[in-house]
Amino acid sequence: MSFDFDYLLTQWPALLDGLWMTLQVSALSIVLSLLIGVLGAGIRLFRLPLLAQLVALYVELIRNTPILVQLFFIFYGLPAVGMKLSLYWSGVLCLSLWAGAYQIENLRGGLATIDKGLREAGMALNLQSRQFFRLIAIPIAFRISLPAMLNTAISLLKNSAYLQTIGLAELTFVAVDRIATDFRAIEMFAAICVIYLALVAVLALLAGRLEARLQRPFQQ
């Protein structure tokens, strides 16, 4: 079987629709996972009673179970207890919770590097704990943890392909659907490989520019 570029051109609109769905789900999940990361890292930093233990349990549960199992539990299991979500929101919830657990640990690692002197300086300026966390700790931890946070975001983007298993019409779903009807596997898989590579490259480029901007005040 020869590689058919004309076939790819005819399927390009469908692939673009799948790409748009992938971008929507991934972008929203990345934002939500960062919010989960900040909130969870703060809870663990301040060692809030019960909440810190629940966050630690959540992190261990997510990190030690396959994401596909988590996705099936959300989509097929939650309706059994009266919590039925759409395909879209099932995917967003799964990716956000999965990446959120890793972002908690990424930020917690960054927070652990903050010098004790900064805390003492914050106390000397009469900053409350929440103010120190919001104004000093989180910006520093974010800058330090940015490479790890980028890796998690890239993994989230790639893991969005799992959403085709529940029928969400994202990029991989479109490719597999076309393969089932047209039997052009080489063209479809080559196309989505190139698209995913391009998405990851763009995400890495944007993160690299952000990292350079954040490092600029610390360069001599």
Side-chain angles (χ1 to χ4, degrees), residues 120-150:
E120 295 173 349
M123 293 175 62
L125 293 173
N126 201 29
L127 292 178
Q128 297 179 355
S129 296
R130 286 177 296 179
Q131 292 175 313
F132 175 80
F133 180 74
R134 178 169 55 89
L135 299 175
I136 299 176
I138 280 297
I140 294 175
F142 186 88
R143 178 174 59 85
I144 294 172
S145 305
L146 189 58
M149 295 168 68
L150 170 63

Side-chain angles (χ1 to χ4, degrees), residues 101-127:
Y102 287 89
Q103 298 294 20
I104 288 173
E105 292 301 287
N106 292 337
L107 284 170
R108 194 165 72 93
L111 290 170
T113 65
I114 295 178
D115 189 81
K116 184 179 178 181
L118 285 175
R119 303 186 185 216
E120 295 173 349
M123 293 175 62
L125 293 173
N126 201 29
L127 292 178

Side-chain angles (χ1 to χ4, degrees), residues 9 136 187 204 208:
L9 291 177
I136 299 176
E187 289 84 353

Side-chain angles (χ1 to χ4, degrees), residues 68-103:
L68 193 58
V69 173
Q70 299 164 21
L71 177 61
F72 285 168
F73 178 82
I74 290 171
F75 185 69
Y76 296 111
L78 291 185
V81 294
M83 296 176 61
K84 183 174 177 59
L85 299 175
S86 66
L87 291 172
Y88 181 86
W89 287 110
S90 294
V92 169
L93 179 60
C94 178
L95 293 175
S96 299
L97 291 176
W98 177 85
Y102 287 89
Q103 298 294 20

Side-chain angles (χ1 to χ4, degrees), residues 12-38:
W12 193 243
L15 289 173
L16 287 179
D17 289 339
L19 173 61
W20 175 236
M21 179 60 70
T22 293
L23 290 175
Q24 289 183 68
V25 172
S26 299
L28 181 55
S29 299
I30 288 173
V31 172
L32 292 176
S33 69
L34 289 174
L35 293 176
I36 293 173
V38 171

Side-chain angles (χ1 to χ4, degrees), residues 189-199:
F189 283 132
I192 64 173
C193 281
V194 171
I195 292 172
Y196 277 118
L197 284 171
L199 291 176

Side-chain angles (χ1 to χ4, degrees), residues 16 33-34 53 61 63 67 93 103 122 136-137 150 162 174 206 209 215:
L16 287 179
S33 69
L34 289 174
Q53 287 78 11
L61 178 65
R63 294 176 67 187
I67 188 173
L93 179 60
Q103 298 294 20
I136 299 176
L150 170 63
Y162 283 116
V174 171
L206 293 175
R209 290 188 175 183
Q215 292 288 355

